[in-house]
Amino acid sequence: MGSLRGFGLWLLVSCLAIVRSGDGFYLPGSYPHEYQVGDLLSVKVNSLTSIETELPFTYYSLPFCRPPEGIKDSAENLGELLMGDRIENSPYRFKMFTNESDILLCRTDPLSAKDFNLLKKRIDEMYQVNVILDNLPAIRYTRKGDFLLRWTGYPIGVRAGDAYYLFNHLKFTVLVHKYEETNVARVVGRTGDAADVIQTTDKSGSGKPGWMVVGFEVVPCSFLHNAESAKNLKTYDKYPAKIQCDPTTVAMKLNENQPVVFTYEVAFVESDIKWPSRWDAYLKMEGAKVHWFSILNSLMVIAFLAGIVLVILLRTVRRDLTRYEELDKESQAQMNEELSGWKLVVGDVFRAPSHPLLLCAMVGDGVQILGMAVVTILFAALGFMSPASRGTLITGMLFFYLILGIAAGYVAVRMWKTINVGDHSGWVSVSWRVACFFPGIAFLILTTINFLLWGSHSTGAIPFSLFVVLLLLWFCISVPLTLAGGFIGAKAPHIEYPVRTNQIPREIPPQKYPSWLLVIGAGTLPFGTLFIELFFIMSSLWMGRVYYVFGFLLIVLILLVVVCAEVSLVLTYMHLCVEDWKWWWKSFFSSGSVALYIFLYSVNYLVFDLKSLSGPVSATLYLGYSLFMVIAIMLATGTET
């Protein structure tokens, strides 16, 4: 789990694809690689991951075979580092359209007590090995009854009773498609002598057909090798005996002080899958029809309820305004007798709230977070953030958040100026608080989480150098833009109040029910707009599934904004009707209280859906990310007042 995986929950998470009912269609953004027969294919490895612990570890933290040329890190973007990805080269070597079998990878040294115990621990924690070919993660198919399940990666091994078995032989299948496009980037590989080269027909007559990788599958097997027969063999030599890969049986039992032999085989299969559709196998979700029906049903119900709330609000306010105008034409005495509800607090309704500086800072940060969410999801829905481009979603979110600091400063300072009836003095202090409030909370939570990750030696921990980069981005980009927005807000005209505020505040009569009860209950309606989508997002973040329906997420977000605004209006009107003119904070938290229900849902998800999550560190990480999430959601939804 990367140190900003929770950041992904909001808005949460990555798709260069425009998705249509399960078929992926990709906008231009990444280029297909054309390979000739015999060209070298580079296989890479990513971090070891587990839904049991949510702590990623580097592939070479276990006693696996290492590449002859040494371990080399792949270039990673900011989003990949924040997500905990550590992509490295591997010793697996393929040649395009060249079937190979019984290839020796290596014979390890006898397992030390430390390595033996670590392998057993990782098997117990259900860690998965993630290998990548041409930017495609290896996919594994398993059958459960009548259902065919898809998984990315393969398990390190299995436990049977008190014995541990290692998957030490991999059967790879590479799906390739005949090159059809004209303008692509060619990857020229080093060719070598290859046995069993598959002969293909070149329809163009050039004699050198090009091929693109459109699928990558793996079947892990546990095979008992003869360690002595592999003792004098070198990497990529042929194992002397025929290896039968049977995934239904296990044979390679782990024992201390005994070496392990790793082998592999690879087969190339021509496929009808075109390059733009090669991610479809990863993007297909189980129960897709239920997913679509649930979302559409939720959208219709919420739209209907929002319409009812809007109609009731307009009719009620219009009726009260009409009566108020009629009473104003009568005698003063009769008008005073008949005035009630919100009409009695007209002179107090625009009185400055308590702690106005904090309120302005929270609203400004909420605008920044909400703007980041809308813009990021919009770009993802339009197809500019691809699962093939790892880390682009997180990188985009961070970029938009930094840039939107100018909007946060503008809104906060203009609100401050309006509360002070045109006086903009202190706008610099407001801007600084906006620039530091939410980033400060995020820094505190994520630093605490990072110490836990450092203590666990997980790749999810943010390196110190990256911490410095994030601080520089905040101080050199976000803070100046927030101050610039504050300066523009200070120069902008404030919003004129339609009535004057009385010198002496009106006494608020005793209330029949506590006002906070109504504020907390108001969060149920916004929660109803997103709880179904929230399940799929949580499953994507914590269960390793791919989330890609950003079009639906954009619709849900728009509905959430509308419903939060309407709920705040209704709650404010209800408070004014009982002569409670202290509406500022109540209006903010009436819609912001949806974060409370999301946090309770997160706890429920931890207890009932992540029952296998092991260890206090993993649970603490989960709750820490959830807390970070609900604070961001509270600020974003509270702003929609």
Side-chain angles (χ1 to χ4, degrees):
M1 178 74 204
S3 57
L4 279 187
R5 181 77 57 90
F7 207 88
L9 174 53
W10 320 130
L11 317 148
L12 5 324
V13 282
S14 68
C15 198
L16 208 178
I18 295 178
V19 181
R20 308 166 299 173
S21 300
D23 294 327
F25 175 80
Y26 288 81
L27 292 176
S30 57
Y31 297 96
H33 292 168
E34 178 199 358
Y35 299 92
Q36 300 296 325
V37 173
D39 281 356
L40 188 67
L41 301 181
S42 299
V43 180
K44 299 181 180 181
V45 289
N46 203 345
S47 299
L48 304 172
T49 55
S50 169
I51 61 173
E52 291 275 326
T53 66
E54 303 295 345
L55 297 172
F57 292 97
T58 179
Y59 175 82
Y60 293 108
S61 62
L62 294 180
F64 291 143
C65 300
R66 299 177 178 243
E69 66 274 17
I71 300 172
K72 299 177 182 178
D73 292 332
S74 297
E76 294 170 328
N77 58 42
L78 185 61
E80 287 179 295
L81 293 173
L82 294 176
M83 291 291 288
D85 288 341
R86 296 296 183 271
I87 300 176
E88 300 163 307
N89 62 330
S90 81
Y92 295 103
R93 185 180 68 181
F94 303 159
K95 297 173 185 177
M96 174 55 73
F97 242 135
T98 303
N99 290 349
E100 296 178 292
S101 61
D102 309 330
I103 302 299
L104 176 73
L105 204 60
C106 76
R107 176 186 182 271
T108 68
D109 295 330
L111 291 178
S112 64
K114 179 181 178 182
D115 288 339
F116 175 68
N117 292 326
L118 185 59
L119 277 170
K120 292 198 301 181
K121 182 181 179 182
R122 295 291 181 256
I123 291 174
D124 282 333
E125 293 170 338
M126 298 178 63
Y127 268 87
Q128 301 278 320
V129 179
N130 301 290
V131 291
I132 302 169
L133 175 65
D134 196 42
N135 211 26
L136 278 180
I139 195 168
R140 175 172 57 95
Y141 292 96
T142 58
R143 185 168 293 278
K144 188 175 183 181
D146 296 332
F147 296 97
L148 187 65
L149 304 179
R150 289 175 291 270
W151 310 87
T152 54
Y154 64 91
I156 294 173
V158 293
R159 179 179 180 180
D162 294 331
Y164 291 83
Y165 295 88
L166 185 70
F167 290 125
N168 60 334
H169 178 80
L170 300 180
K171 181 180 179 180
F172 294 105
T173 301
V174 181
L175 305 181
V176 293
H177 185 75
K178 180 70 177 295
Y179 165 68
E180 296 174 350
E181 303 294 333
T182 55
N183 295 320
V184 297
R186 171 171 294 191
V187 176
V188 180
R190 177 173 55 86
T191 61
D193 296 331
D196 192 19
V197 176
I198 299 175
Q199 299 297 324
T200 61
T201 301
D202 178 22
K203 299 178 182 179
S204 64
S206 64
K208 292 186 178 180
W211 300 93
M212 295 176 292
V213 176
V214 295
F216 186 36
E217 302 172 5
V218 63
V219 176
C221 298
S222 179
F223 185 81
L224 183 59
H225 299 87
N226 186 336
E228 289 301 318
S229 64
K231 189 172 184 179
N232 297 321
L233 297 179
K234 297 180 180 179
T235 303
Y236 308 124
D237 285 348
K238 199 169 184 67
Y239 186 72
K242 181 65 177 176
I243 299 175
Q244 297 293 336
C245 180
D246 184 4
T248 61
T249 61
V250 289
M252 181 56 215
K253 182 180 177 181
L254 284 176
N255 292 294
E256 191 175 345
N257 296 321
Q258 287 190 6
V260 178
V261 177
F262 288 90
T263 55
Y264 72 95
E265 59 185 282
V266 58
F268 288 81
V269 178
E270 187 172 357
S271 171
D272 293 331
I273 299 173
K274 297 183 184 298
W275 189 87
S277 301
R278 66 180 192 158
W279 276 86
D280 286 3
Y282 304 86
L283 299 181
K284 289 179 181 176
M285 289 184 176
E286 298 299 328
K289 292 183 179 179
V290 176
H291 177 80
W292 303 127
F293 176 78
S294 299
I295 293 179
L296 289 174
N297 180 65
S298 176
L299 293 178
M300 289 189 292
V301 170
I302 294 304
F304 178 71
L305 292 177
I308 292 178
V309 170
L310 186 60
V311 169
I312 291 175
L313 178 63
L314 291 178
R315 291 187 62 183
T316 304
V317 173
R318 181 176 296 179
R319 185 182 67 243
D320 284 348
L321 284 174
T322 303
R323 290 181 56 197
Y324 184 62
E325 290 175 359
E326 292 176 353
L327 288 172
D328 194 42
K329 299 174 183 177
E330 299 177 4
S331 63
Q332 185 69 33
Q334 184 178 357
M335 182 182 67
N336 290 336
E337 289 178 4
E338 303 224 5
L339 282 179
S340 62
W342 64 269
K343 298 175 287 295
L344 294 174
V345 293
V346 169
D348 296 277
V349 70
F350 293 112
R351 193 176 301 280
S354 58
H355 310 292
L357 196 58
L358 178 61
L359 179 62
C360 292
M362 293 176 70
V363 170
D365 280 326
V367 168
Q368 192 172 5
I369 296 169
L370 181 62
M372 174 204 67
V374 172
V375 176
T376 303
I377 295 174
L378 178 61
F379 271 84
L382 292 176
F384 291 101
M385 295 181 181
S386 170
S389 303
R390 293 175 180 82
T392 53
L393 187 68
I394 297 298
T395 304
M397 290 170 60
L398 187 60
F399 172 77
F400 292 132
Y401 180 82
L402 294 173
I403 296 301
L404 287 171
I406 191 169
Y410 173 82
V411 171
V413 170
R414 193 174 183 200
M415 182 178 175
W416 170 260
K417 187 176 180 180
T418 299
I419 290 175
N420 290 303
V421 198
D423 183 12
H424 66 270
S425 58
W427 70 268
V428 176
S429 177
V430 175
S431 300
W432 268 106
R433 279 170 170 77
V434 172
C436 299
F437 181 73
F438 178 71
I441 295 175
F443 181 81
L444 179 63
I445 294 175
L446 295 178
T447 301
T448 304
I449 291 175
N450 217 49
F451 277 119
L452 294 176
L453 293 170
W454 273 334
S456 302
H457 305 288
S458 170
T459 60
I462 301 178
F464 179 76
S465 58
L466 187 56
F467 250 117
V468 175
V469 171
L470 292 175
L471 288 174
L472 289 175
L473 288 174
W474 168 75
F475 188 76
C476 297
I477 298 178
S478 183
V479 171
L481 286 177
T482 304
L483 290 172
F487 176 78
I488 297 173
K491 297 299 181 182
H494 69 285
I495 301 174
E496 297 281 349
Y497 291 149
V499 295
R500 291 185 178 181
T501 301
N502 295 334
Q503 293 291 332
I504 302 176
R506 182 183 180 84
E507 183 179 356
I508 300 175
Q511 306 298 317
K512 190 174 182 180
Y513 300 104
S515 59
W516 60 264
L517 203 60
L518 193 60
V519 170
I520 293 177
T524 55
L525 189 56
F527 181 72
T529 66
L530 52 78
F531 80 96
I532 294 178
E533 206 63 31
L534 187 61
F535 170 78
F536 290 98
I537 296 175
M538 296 284 278
S539 298
S540 172
L541 291 170
W542 302 104
M543 302 295 287
R545 299 171 185 169
V546 178
Y547 184 86
Y548 67 98
V549 285
F550 289 101
F552 279 103
L553 184 59
L554 181 62
I555 296 174
V556 170
L557 180 60
I558 293 172
L559 282 177
L560 177 65
V561 171
V562 173
V563 172
C564 284
E566 291 176 343
V567 166
S568 296
L569 286 171
V570 173
L571 263 292
T572 301
Y573 176 76
M574 293 177 66
H575 281 109
L576 294 179
C577 283
V578 294
E579 302 177 33
D580 184 358
W581 47 266
K582 295 182 178 180
W583 59 273
W584 294 84
W585 283 105
K586 293 169 185 174
S587 176
F588 183 90
F589 285 113
S590 60
S591 55
S593 61
V594 66
L596 173 64
Y597 295 94
I598 293 176
F599 186 76
L600 294 177
Y601 181 86
S602 301
V603 175
N604 174 81
Y605 191 86
L606 172 64
V607 174
F608 294 102
D609 292 276
L610 294 178
K611 292 181 290 187
S612 60
L613 198 66
S614 60
V617 174
S618 299
T620 303
L621 291 176
Y622 175 86
L623 292 175
Y625 289 126
S626 298
L627 179 62
F628 174 68
M629 171 184 72
V630 297
I631 291 175
I633 290 182
M634 180 198 69
L635 294 173
T637 53
T639 300
E640 301 160 21
T641 55

